[in-house]
Amino acid sequence: MDRRSFLGGLLAGVPLSLASLGRAEALPRQAAKSGTPAGAVAIASANGLEAVRVAYDQLVAGADPVDAAIAGVNLLELDPKDHSVGYGGLPNFDGVVQLDSAVMHGPSGKAGAVAALEGVKTPSKVARLVMQRTDHVLLVGEGARRFAAMHGFPSENLLTDEAREIWLRWREKLSTEDDWVAPPEDGEPGRQALFEGGPEELRPTGTIHLSALTPTGDLGCCTTTSGLFFKIPGRVGDSPLIGCGLYCDNDVGSAGGTGRGESAIVSNASHTAVEFMRQGLGPQQALLKTMERVVHLNRDPRLQRPDGRPNFNLRLYAVNKAGAYGSAAIWGGGKFAVADARGARLEEQAYLYRRQQS
Ligand code: GLY
């Protein structure tokens, strides 16, 4: 489906009721503020089902929340078949893989991040070192790579053959006015077939966010990504920006996002969600209210459908200190991953708008 027919096919969405998914809205307002220890919880984007399982097991074994979150997301960072995170991630315009990641640690209130990092499969681990072993929060580009090398990370080629072929195919088909020539169609999957987010994500991003709550009520989170596919070299999304792609406050809750990073940046989406939880909203309600803010700020007609609604998606995930959790998106139809005492599973995501079924 091309962009025009996709947009033309979308009809007016309908607001979703705030019917609770998970434990979020069942909990009294005081519960989130009492500091009462809840059971461990790990919540992540839908690509993180195994990640939340790993993180949860670490949390019940007594791990620090950031360490547990990193152990979970490392599964995807090291997976060459995942084209949205770490090793095997799709490259930038020039064919170079540049990774963004950040961690935030509730008990200490500290954070660390790297952006446009090249040559390291696990940027989340480098982000943790920025938090633990520097007086800074964010290192970028060559400085981040040199910092990683100083801590013993080898410089590796992150561009798998499969990712390179996808990029090459995209580059060759980009324009009929340049000197690149695509081979005859050979039945290989085209660009759209690889995009899990669906056709509404006209410039797809892949990412994993994971928020973790320990059994004793401490919070931590991590977001990691290869960012917008075929991005302008040096482009940094929301994932490594504290308050945008992730945020946690140990008194309140933890939140993070995946999807169009630019919209999470201008809305400070993750910080906004935590502030709404601080005001007493359950996680799902806080995320839906944040989505309303995101939509309110989306005033560029280029990023709007004919009815004014966003032509992209953003997804947020949150857990509060009492163990209530939730997830919400602008556009419905997605799921999120969560693990708690009931096991690891995918649940339906709340949303602002629903596409009319054809
Ligand atoms: N949310 C990931 C990115 O925009 O890079």
Side-chain angles (χ1 to χ4, degrees):
M1 180 184 294
D2 64 21
R3 174 178 172 146
R4 180 181 296 275
S5 57
F6 167 67
L7 292 178
L10 290 173
L11 297 176
V14 293
L16 176 75
S17 79
L18 295 183
S20 176
L21 297 172
R23 285 184 282 165
E25 276 53 65
L27 288 165
R29 174 177 175 158
Q30 295 84 341
K33 297 188 170 183
S34 67
T36 307
V41 178
I43 184 169
S45 35
N47 54 352
L49 183 58
E50 289 308 312
V52 294
R53 203 187 310 275
V54 165
Y56 178 78
D57 287 347
Q58 294 221 353
L59 290 167
V60 296
D64 174 89
V66 164
D67 291 346
I70 288 175
V73 304
N74 281 170
L75 295 180
L76 273 75
E77 288 181 327
L78 294 169
D79 180 357
K81 293 293 181 193
D82 187 307
H83 292 307
S84 69
V85 179
Y87 178 50
L90 288 181
N92 66 17
F93 186 89
D94 291 338
V96 176
V97 180
Q98 293 188 321
L99 304 177
D100 298 340
S101 185
V103 297
M104 189 157 185
H105 185 244
S108 64
K110 293 183 73 176
V114 290
L117 172 63
E118 298 177 14
V120 178
K121 290 177 174 172
T122 53
S124 60
K125 290 184 174 178
V126 186
R128 178 171 56 190
L129 283 167
V130 173
M131 178 179 77
Q132 295 173 330
R133 305 285 288 274
T134 78
D135 192 33
H136 307 313
V137 171
L138 175 61
L139 296 180
V140 305
E142 177 61 11
R145 194 199 61 77
R146 287 170 56 187
F147 172 78
M150 288 171 198
H151 280 276
F153 287 83
S155 191
E156 301 181 85
N157 177 21
L158 304 187
L159 187 65
T160 60
D161 279 347
E162 190 171 272
R164 181 182 52 73
E165 286 290 345
I166 293 167
W167 168 81
L168 187 60
R169 195 70 53 85
W170 169 82
R171 188 67 190 83
E172 288 174 339
K173 291 178 177 173
L174 194 58
S175 170
T176 54
E177 296 178 11
D178 63 18
D179 297 328
W180 295 77
V181 178
E185 291 302 325
D186 56 9
E188 290 295 310
R191 185 175 171 222
Q192 288 298 334
L194 292 155
F195 295 166
E196 294 175 18
E200 88 277 12
E201 297 182 11
L202 298 172
R203 288 298 311 277
T205 57
T207 300
I208 179 169
H209 168 79
L210 197 153
S211 278
L213 172 73
T214 71
T216 52
D218 283 329
L219 291 151
C221 54
C222 177
T223 304
T224 185
T225 188
S226 52
L228 188 67
F229 297 174
F230 318 130
K231 60 195 174 188
I232 294 174
R235 178 266 186 185
V236 171
D238 59 319
S239 304
L241 302 182
I242 305 304
C244 304
L246 75 170
Y247 192 77
C248 80
D249 181 321
N250 218 43
D251 293 337
V252 179
S254 178
T258 62
R260 182 179 162 77
E262 283 73 8
S263 68
I265 293 172
V266 296
S267 61
N268 273 222
S270 297
H271 180 262
T272 299
V274 171
E275 289 308 303
F276 284 141
M277 288 194 283
R278 191 192 309 280
Q279 292 169 16
L281 294 183
Q284 182 179 291
Q285 287 177 307
L287 299 182
L288 286 168
K289 207 164 159 63
T290 303
M291 288 305 179
E292 289 171 0
R293 179 79 56 86
V294 171
V295 172
H296 175 69
L297 290 168
N298 186 52
R299 295 168 195 157
D300 185 345
R302 196 176 50 84
L303 297 172
Q304 294 177 347
R305 307 185 329 163
D307 66 3
R309 289 178 174 160
N311 61 14
F312 58 85
N313 212 352
L314 181 70
R315 305 174 192 274
L316 294 171
Y317 318 87
V319 60
N320 72 16
K321 194 171 179 68
Y325 62 85
S327 177
I330 296 174
W331 289 101
K335 295 181 188 277
F336 66 98
V338 63
D340 58 14
R342 293 185 285 151
R345 57 198 178 275
L346 293 176
E347 291 191 10
E348 298 291 330
Q349 200 162 48
Y351 51 85
L352 283 186
Y353 308 124
R354 178 168 43 197
R355 289 181 207 90
Q356 185 153 349
Q357 303 297 317
S358 54

